[in-house]
Amino acid sequence: MAAAMAAAMPLDRASGPFAVPAAFAAADPTLLLPTVPRAPAPLKFSAQTPSTIIKGCWQLSGGHRGDPASDRTSGAAAVDDFASFVAAGIDTFDTGPEACGYGPSELVIGEALKRGTVSRDDVKIFTKLCCVGREQGNMTNDWVTQKLDLPMRRLGVKSLDLVQMYWNDYGQKGYVDAALFLTDAKAAGKIGAVGLTNFDTKRMAEMVDAGAEISSNQIQFSLLDRRPRRAMIEYCEKNGISLLPYGVVAGGFLSDAFLGVDGSDVALDTSSKRKYASVIGYAGGYKWFQTLLETLRSVGDKHGGASVANVAARWVLDSNNVTPAIILGARNAAHVDDHRRMFTFELDAEDKAAIEAVLARGKAPSADCYTWERGGPW
């Protein structure tokens, strides 16, 4: 994958016919940073090729606001920030309806399109179909059609690039029918690809075996949450299905900001922090977590001072052959340049071995993806 990504990267900006003048580069070193490359190939059954970093829009739901001085998760500021992401090569946005916890994020993207902050031709919009109520026991094509029409109106678009289905109750088997209805919608040109979100391997296989054209599964995957390595990755490799991981930097915990910070001093002041603090406990505890951060900092120093967040994200992106892109939920465009820095280095065998040694001292998960969130074991 690293070779394919390197081939997708832009020409060196320090040389060649489009070189950045030395004076400009000296004044603003970010001009020499690469743009974020595109994934090596389209998602299966589709023409959808996302940027290798997808802008996660859960941060725009209302429960993730940070320091008021720098927060840009609502209003005109949130709309304006999309332009900076697209200019950096991050042209794919992951969103969803209120039923999946995304609040007004579809409307925010729609406003960016309406204002011309970004062009529909230049971006890909990945949204969701959230099945959380009585429809799970009585799934119909009409219900699916209605739920696809709503985000198109909110976004102001004529088609959806990827629709990722979430299903709350596995006791209701209608998810197979829903996946087939989405496949029909794809054949009709209403959506570009069919995806899943937070499904385990067993249920994904049921849909694939029934003939659903599943292109991807969006799951939580990070150095703290390695559940996809139990069964999901192997199944996706055999069936050509892509994984689109979120939680890659654990809501910001996998960053320099928490290195050396006492656990008692950590303020769980956002939805993300509250969610991922529990993941740290399951992964190995706070003391082990600090050892992991120290190792990531050492690897980053070896690569010219790469941030802990970028080392953690790079590990996920390079950890298998089925992860063409990762979802990063930055609250504002101030993170864009650091996202670009992720493509100025690669983890070598020594780096990966050092990280794996720390992971081996943590707690290995015992269950598949999203089992714990449904009341099962970690």
Side-chain angles (χ1 to χ4, degrees):
M1 176 172 286
M5 288 172 54
M9 289 176 66
L11 294 174
D12 183 0
R13 298 187 178 193
S15 62
F18 302 104
V20 176
F24 290 174
D28 183 5
T30 63
L31 293 173
L32 295 177
L33 292 174
T35 54
V36 173
R38 198 169 293 287
L43 302 179
K44 187 179 182 180
F45 300 121
S46 83
Q48 305 301 321
T49 307
S51 48
T52 51
I53 293 178
I54 298 171
K55 175 177 167 52
C57 295
W58 190 43
Q59 301 288 343
L60 307 182
S61 67
H64 306 270
R65 295 190 177 97
D67 183 346
S70 61
D71 182 77
R72 297 176 66 85
T73 59
S74 61
V79 171
D80 292 343
D81 269 4
F82 280 96
S84 296
F85 283 91
V86 174
I90 303 171
D91 63 5
T92 308
F93 311 143
D94 179 74
T95 182
E98 288 94 337
C100 271
Y102 283 80
S105 69
E106 287 179 332
L107 292 172
V108 175
I109 297 171
E111 187 65 19
L113 295 172
K114 180 180 178 181
R115 292 187 187 184
T117 305
V118 294
S119 168
R120 179 66 180 105
D121 292 338
D122 295 335
V123 302
K124 296 171 186 62
I125 302 171
F126 293 179
T127 191
K128 297 178 180 68
L129 175 73
C130 292
C131 307
V132 296
R134 288 179 295 177
E135 70 278 358
Q136 295 174 97
N138 184 31
M139 178 54 58
T140 66
N141 190 40
D142 286 344
W143 186 89
V144 171
T145 298
Q146 179 186 14
K147 290 302 178 181
L148 295 180
D149 288 340
L150 180 60
M152 286 193 282
R153 290 198 300 271
R154 286 161 61 94
L155 291 160
V157 300
K158 296 180 180 179
S159 64
L160 302 167
D161 297 319
L162 173 68
V163 174
Q164 305 159 99
M165 178 177 61
Y166 172 75
W167 193 270
N168 184 52
D169 181 9
Y170 283 160
Q172 305 286 344
K173 296 293 185 179
Y175 51 81
V176 174
D177 289 333
L180 293 172
F181 293 146
L182 286 173
T183 301
D184 290 341
K186 174 181 172 292
K190 199 163 190 174
I191 64 178
V194 180
L196 307 173
T197 181
N198 290 325
F199 269 91
D200 65 12
T201 309
K202 177 182 176 181
R203 277 75 185 186
M204 181 192 296
E206 290 176 13
M207 289 177 273
V208 171
D209 291 345
E213 294 185 356
I214 304 301
S215 295
S216 63
N217 188 18
Q218 182 183 143
I219 42 80
Q220 184 172 295
F221 185 25
S222 72
L223 287 162
L224 301 178
D225 182 359
R226 303 180 301 284
R227 289 177 291 177
R229 301 208 296 191
R230 289 189 54 81
M232 180 69 67
I233 290 173
E234 181 180 1
Y235 179 82
C236 289
E237 285 180 339
K238 290 180 179 178
N239 291 276
I241 297 171
S242 296
L243 292 181
L244 303 178
Y246 67 89
V248 171
V249 294
F253 276 114
L254 288 168
S255 71
D256 289 283
F258 291 91
L259 178 60
V261 175
D262 190 278
S264 62
D265 293 331
V266 176
L268 303 181
D269 52 359
T270 68
S271 297
S272 293
K273 288 180 182 177
R274 288 188 290 273
K275 173 180 180 177
Y276 292 109
S278 60
V279 174
I280 292 173
Y282 281 98
Y286 198 79
K287 182 177 180 181
W288 169 86
F289 168 65
Q290 284 296 316
T291 301
L292 176 63
L293 290 183
E294 291 168 1
T295 301
L296 299 180
R297 179 65 272 145
S298 178
V299 171
D301 289 342
K302 172 181 169 181
H303 293 286
S307 68
V308 164
N310 275 351
V311 175
R314 189 85 214 197
W315 181 88
V316 175
L317 193 60
D318 294 349
S319 65
N320 59 73
N321 295 318
V322 297
T323 299
I326 56 176
I327 300 167
L328 294 177
R331 282 203 300 265
N332 56 58
H335 297 274
V336 166
D337 286 340
D338 198 45
H339 290 346
R340 294 164 64 191
R341 290 186 182 96
M342 191 188 306
F343 302 95
T344 63
F345 72 97
E346 292 185 3
L347 301 179
D348 59 29
E350 181 183 47
D351 302 329
K352 294 176 182 178
I355 293 170
E356 289 293 339
V358 179
L359 299 183
R361 297 198 295 272
K363 298 177 183 177
S366 64
D368 201 357
C369 301
Y370 218 75
T371 298
W372 170 69
E373 289 85 349
R374 287 187 168 90
W378 180 269

